[in-house]
Amino acid sequence: MKHIARKRFGQNFLHDKYVLDNITAAIAPQADDTLVEIGPGLGAMTEQLLKLLNTMHVVELDRDLVARLEKTFNPAKLTIHAGDALKFDFAAIPVPEGKKLRVVGNLPYNISSPLLFRLAEIAPLVQDQHFMLQKEVVERMVAEPGSKTYGRLSVMLQWRYKMSLLFIVPPTAFDPPPKVESAIVRMIPLEQRLPCDQLTLEAVVMKAFSQRRKVIRNCLAGMFTEAQIIETGIDPTMRPETVGLVQYVALANLLKPV
């Protein structure tokens, strides 16, 4: 029986063999990897990966799809976790000593940002992440200072990851086709990120980008004096989207040194 995609779950099922092959090549799974796929859907990507892996894990919210996956795949090879990826404990997946978790998935737009921030909490346990997201989201993730797409998501994720947009996926690769283009992003956790208190950095970045059309001096009024802003090497007349990660970290460390 054909599964009808559910809008409330943001379901768009990837079916294009060429795109599936390209994603698999980008991930380059090794047989003994511990890999978890978020939102396997009908299992097209799962099937590709299992050809190269001894075992793998998937996290799926839709119970109908869970039942379908259970019928399709060998339980000795595929461990299915039925539930919400936003609440799932990825750190609980057993990983052999000396190895790290690999995470892949086609992430629905409505949960992409909160899920990325949730996964950032376990970045030290992760080898890499390969995700399909709306192209505009990936562009925001990898944006450089000075671009219109550079913002809170860019700063907070670039503090934890080295990221790259690998390739664009057209709407025709999905059933049903979405109204926008998608993109594949590779995220590799940084071995050594800039020392900084995370909550303080989040507070500074959130306040700065809440009024991104204003100059940074006005955006951060009440949090920093103009003299403090200058102390970190920032021109107080700069706009938030032109201030780099290193400078935001310097501001956060003024508030709470590490």
Side-chain angles (χ1 to χ4, degrees):
M1 183 182 294
K2 179 177 172 63
H3 178 86
I4 305 301
R6 294 174 175 171
K7 286 187 178 181
R8 68 189 179 100
F9 290 151
Q11 292 176 342
N12 298 94
F13 301 118
L14 181 64
H15 63 79
D16 188 295
K17 185 67 166 59
Y18 177 74
V19 174
L20 286 164
D21 287 343
N22 282 344
I23 297 172
T24 304
I27 297 168
Q30 303 302 303
D32 61 347
D33 283 344
T34 302
L35 187 146
V36 56
E37 181 185 9
I38 298 169
L42 298 174
M45 190 77 247
T46 315
E47 183 178 0
Q48 289 266 121
L49 294 170
L50 272 178
K51 292 176 183 177
L52 302 169
L53 293 164
N54 296 330
T55 62
M56 66 178 284
H57 297 253
V58 295
V59 181
E60 177 57 59
L61 178 60
D62 188 325
R63 292 186 179 185
D64 289 345
L65 289 177
V66 168
R68 192 185 188 105
L69 293 166
E70 288 173 340
K71 292 178 181 177
T72 305
F73 295 99
N74 182 350
K77 294 211 44 154
L78 184 69
T79 301
I80 302 170
H81 304 274
D84 187 345
L86 285 171
K87 299 175 183 176
F88 182 71
D89 184 5
F90 289 90
I93 294 177
V95 180
E97 188 173 349
K99 300 275 285 183
K100 291 188 175 184
L101 190 65
R102 305 191 70 188
V103 189
V104 304
N106 177 12
L107 306 188
Y109 179 68
N110 58 334
I111 67 161
S112 58
S113 291
L115 185 54
L116 288 170
F117 282 122
R118 177 166 173 76
L119 287 167
E121 296 171 7
I122 62 158
L125 306 177
V126 174
Q127 176 182 322
D128 57 21
Q129 299 174 167
H130 290 83
F131 293 133
M132 176 130 53
L133 296 152
Q134 277 198 4
K135 186 179 77 167
E136 66 175 50
V137 175
V138 177
E139 288 173 340
R140 285 166 52 207
M141 292 165 66
V142 304
E144 297 290 335
S147 69
K148 291 182 179 179
T149 51
Y150 180 75
R152 174 175 172 258
L153 190 68
S154 320
V155 176
M156 294 309 302
L157 291 181
Q158 289 173 28
W159 179 57
R160 288 189 179 274
Y161 300 96
K162 177 184 177 183
M163 297 183 294
S164 50
L165 190 163
L166 300 184
F167 55 90
I168 307 300
V169 181
T172 52
F174 301 89
D175 181 25
K179 296 179 181 179
V180 296
E181 289 183 306
S182 300
I184 304 296
V185 63
R186 174 179 290 143
M187 307 174 67
I188 301 175
L190 297 171
E191 288 290 331
Q192 291 185 317
R193 63 175 185 257
L194 295 170
C196 183
D197 177 72
Q198 177 185 331
L199 294 179
T200 306
L201 180 61
E202 285 178 351
V204 171
V205 172
M206 187 173 291
K207 186 169 175 62
F209 284 100
S210 65
Q211 304 178 82
R212 61 185 298 145
R213 291 189 178 183
K214 294 186 176 182
V215 298
I216 196 76
R217 173 184 56 213
N218 295 340
C219 292
L220 298 179
M223 185 175 274
F224 298 96
T225 65
E226 183 169 336
Q228 286 177 312
I229 292 172
I230 293 171
E231 183 185 333
T232 61
I234 301 172
D235 180 340
T237 63
M238 293 172 70
R239 296 191 184 278
E241 67 267 22
T242 62
V243 177
L245 170 62
V246 173
Q247 294 168 310
Y248 278 117
V249 168
L251 285 169
N253 286 335
L254 271 184
L255 283 186
K256 189 171 183 179
V258 293

